[in-house]
Amino acid sequence: MDGQQVERILHNPKFKEMVAKKRNLSWTLTAIMLIVYVGFMLLVGYNKEFLMSSFDGGVTTWGIPLGLGIIVLSFVLSGIYSFIANNFLDKLTQEAMREVEAITHDKGAN
């Protein structure tokens, strides 16, 4: 593959769309997880009393369901990524790859 083919691939609209959608999805889900996790850490650092308080005077404190919620959220976000990737992004990737293969075999046009 020469430099001209690489340039044609990088400027291909389908390839650009595929890269942009994957990047946006990944950064969005990463930001959600980061905000939740950092928020929990700030809560641990600055409001321990809330986390140590219990439901209606019971045994379970607020920290336990919040911590478990973060773990569950990570699985949910992974599932969301997998669902979107399998149902939408894979089709776009296949279309982009067909155009990339055409460019690398010098059959495709800009």
Side-chain angles (χ1 to χ4, degrees), residues 1-25:
M1 186 178 318
D2 62 8
Q4 184 180 12
Q5 287 177 328
V6 171
E7 284 298 316
R8 288 175 61 194
I9 291 169
L10 292 176
H11 294 297
N12 182 284
K14 285 285 184 196
F15 183 78
K16 283 183 173 182
E17 181 184 4
M18 176 197 67
V19 169
K21 286 190 177 189
K22 284 185 177 186
R23 181 184 57 235
N24 291 340
L25 176 63

Side-chain angles (χ1 to χ4, degrees), residues 30-41 66 69-70 73 77:
T30 299
I32 291 169
M33 194 67 225
L34 187 63
I35 289 167
V36 170
Y37 185 73
V38 169
F40 184 72
M41 290 294 103
L66 288 176
I70 291 172
L73 178 65
L77 292 179

Side-chain angles (χ1 to χ4, degrees), residues 31-110:
I32 291 169
M33 194 67 225
L34 187 63
I35 289 167
V36 170
Y37 185 73
V38 169
F40 184 72
M41 290 294 103
L42 290 173
L43 193 60
V44 167
Y46 293 106
N47 199 355
K48 293 177 189 171
E49 295 79 25
F50 169 72
L51 292 175
M52 291 188 298
S53 65
S54 60
F55 303 116
D56 299 325
V59 178
T60 305
T61 64
W62 282 101
I64 293 171
L66 288 176
L68 290 174
I70 291 172
I71 294 169
V72 170
L73 178 65
S74 67
F75 283 102
V76 169
L77 292 179
S78 295
I80 289 170
Y81 181 85
S82 296
F83 176 80
I84 292 172
N86 291 338
N87 292 309
F88 302 105
L89 297 179
D90 279 353
K91 293 172 189 165
L92 186 58
T93 300
Q94 289 172 356
E95 292 172 12
M97 287 306 296
R98 276 194 291 276
E99 292 188 19
V100 165
E101 287 173 4
I103 290 170
T104 57
H105 293 103
D106 209 25
K107 298 176 188 171
N110 291 339

